[in-house]
């Protein structure tokens, strides 16, 4: 069955690869970007494609955009909250404005989409919401990535609740934690560095440099294969709520689980000492 997909932040990276693959397979696709002109070179004109300008931080603009998708296609089957960017910088050195902007896009932008798409999904009693987090939404022990990771931790938190809330309406919810994919995500213009770096944070500068100079362009995962995975997940009868995507994610996750288990056991007696004695 061909579905109607609504994808945010789709002018590049994982979002663009997904749009291209969906159109190849005959699906109907509405995709957003702050600049729809960027779709001209990558997609061009296609009968099944609806490119839409959208300011994701504006709830009213998001509502208008989603309403226009319904007017065009009559339904929305799959929502992909893909819009987001990485704000690099140590927690101390990032300004209030830099932090809030990252949360406005990565967290509140996704919530704007969910808030306005959910009524349609509930009424049709079907659908699938993909919230694209990051492996940094499961572990945050990367100097210089604390704020970005915290936006993805926030997404993970509300997605777990959303999955339970939407379940009675036949709507699936999947939280995707991508590892490192070979896209332009870490290139200049996509990633933001601190406006006022603090020299003392040498560890943050080292991790920042590693991502921008060494990891960028050498990521181990193929975005085209990611697009195929998304489509495969959307066709499952019981898709997972948590999906770690990428050849590099398994070791990251196992390491975090081991760390938590060790901490849990090491402090078990101290933690239990808070019990009220009867």
């Amino acid at each position: 069955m061909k579905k109607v997909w609504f994808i945010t932040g789709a002018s590049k990276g994982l979002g663009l690869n997904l749009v291209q693959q969906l159109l190849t397979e005959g699906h109907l696709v509405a995709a957003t970007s702050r600049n729809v002109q960027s779709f001209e070179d990558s997609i061009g004109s296609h009968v099944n494609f609806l490119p839409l300008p959208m300011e994701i931080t504006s709830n009213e603009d998001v509502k208008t955009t989603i309403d226009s998708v319904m007017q065009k296609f009559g339904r929305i089957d799959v929502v992909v909250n893909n819009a987001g960017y990485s704000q690099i910088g140590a927690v101390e050195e990032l300004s209030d404005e830099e932090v809030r902007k990252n949360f406005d896009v990565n967290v509140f932008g996704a919530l704007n989409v969910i808030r306005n798409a959910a009524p349609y999904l509930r009424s049709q009693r079907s659908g699938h919401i993909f919230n694209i987090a990051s492996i940094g939404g499961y572990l945050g022990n990367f100097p210089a990535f604390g704020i970005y990771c915290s936006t993805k931790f926030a997404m993970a938190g509300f997605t777990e609740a959303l999955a339970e809330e939407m379940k009675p309406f036949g709507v699936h919810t999947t939280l995707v934690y991508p590892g490192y994919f070979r896209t332009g995500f870490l290139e200049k213009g996509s990633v933001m560095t601190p406006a006022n770096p603090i020299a003392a944070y040498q560890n943050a500068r080292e991790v920042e440099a590693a991502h921008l100079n060494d990891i960028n362009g050498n990521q181990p995962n193929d975005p085209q294969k990611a697009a195929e995975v998304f489509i495969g997940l959307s066709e499952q009868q019981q898709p997972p709520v948590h999906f770690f995507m990428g050849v590099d994610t398994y070791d990251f996750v196992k390491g975090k689980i081991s760390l938590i288990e060790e901490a849990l056991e090491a402090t078990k007696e101290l933690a239990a000492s808070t019990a009220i004695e009867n």
Side-chain angles (χ1 to χ4, degrees):
M1 171 183 158
K2 303 307 179 185
K3 297 179 178 180
V4 177
W5 290 64
F6 176 68
I7 307 167
T8 68
S11 61
K12 55 187 176 182
L14 292 177
L16 178 58
N17 278 272
L18 178 56
V19 170
Q20 292 170 326
Q21 185 63 33
L22 287 167
L23 292 175
T24 297
E25 296 188 16
H27 294 279
L28 305 174
V29 182
T32 75
S33 174
R34 284 177 296 176
N35 178 18
V36 293
Q37 188 64 36
S38 59
F39 288 124
E40 286 296 322
D41 295 333
S42 56
I43 305 294
S45 179
H46 195 292
V47 67
N48 288 347
F49 182 53
L50 178 64
L52 294 163
M54 187 178 79
E55 178 48 65
I56 200 166
T57 61
S58 167
N59 184 69
E60 286 305 310
D61 200 36
V62 171
K63 182 180 187 303
T64 299
T65 301
I66 291 175
D67 288 346
S68 68
V69 177
M70 292 297 299
Q71 291 170 8
K72 173 69 174 179
F73 293 130
R75 63 186 291 114
I76 296 174
D77 298 299
V78 186
V79 174
V80 183
N81 270 311
N82 177 65
Y85 72 95
S86 179
Q87 173 65 66
I88 292 178
V91 172
E92 178 191 350
E93 67 189 356
L94 290 177
S95 68
D96 179 75
E97 181 181 2
E98 288 171 310
V99 172
R100 288 179 184 275
K101 184 178 179 181
N102 206 199
F103 270 83
D104 280 344
V105 174
N106 293 8
V107 179
F108 295 108
L111 289 171
N112 286 341
V113 172
I114 292 166
R115 183 181 303 114
N116 290 289
Y120 292 116
L121 301 181
R122 283 193 293 104
S123 65
Q124 68 192 29
R125 302 192 72 82
S126 67
H128 197 157
I129 300 171
F130 286 99
N131 287 335
I132 313 304
S134 164
I135 190 59
Y138 189 73
L139 62 157
N141 58 336
F142 305 97
F145 283 86
I147 295 304
Y148 171 71
C149 288
S150 69
T151 67
K152 297 305 185 178
F153 269 73
M155 175 177 273
F158 71 68
T159 301
E160 288 191 354
L162 180 69
E164 295 301 316
E165 293 163 358
M166 299 301 286
K167 190 183 297 183
F169 307 105
V171 178
H172 300 299
T173 307
T174 299
L175 176 65
V176 181
Y177 304 85
Y180 290 104
F181 278 79
R182 199 166 297 182
T183 68
F185 186 73
L186 291 174
E187 293 179 357
K188 291 181 179 179
S190 294
V191 66
M192 301 297 292
T193 54
N196 297 294
I198 298 172
Y201 284 107
Q202 186 60 36
N203 58 352
R205 297 291 80 77
E206 290 173 355
V207 172
E208 177 182 322
H211 280 76
L212 298 181
N213 302 324
D214 302 327
I215 296 174
N216 184 35
N218 294 302
Q219 297 96 325
N221 294 295
D222 183 346
Q224 177 59 41
K225 292 181 178 179
E228 296 166 5
V229 168
F230 279 119
I231 296 171
L233 287 170
S234 74
E235 294 171 349
Q236 292 185 2
Q237 292 297 311
Q238 295 296 327
V241 174
H242 296 271
F243 182 70
F244 295 93
M245 185 171 67
V247 67
D248 49 345
T249 58
Y250 185 86
D251 288 341
F252 276 128
V253 174
K254 292 293 285 187
K256 174 67 177 281
I257 292 172
S258 295
L259 184 68
I260 296 299
E261 287 180 338
E262 289 170 9
L264 191 65
E265 290 301 321
T267 59
K268 182 178 180 180
E269 291 186 9
L270 182 60
S273 69
T274 60
I276 295 173
E277 300 292 340
N278 293 323

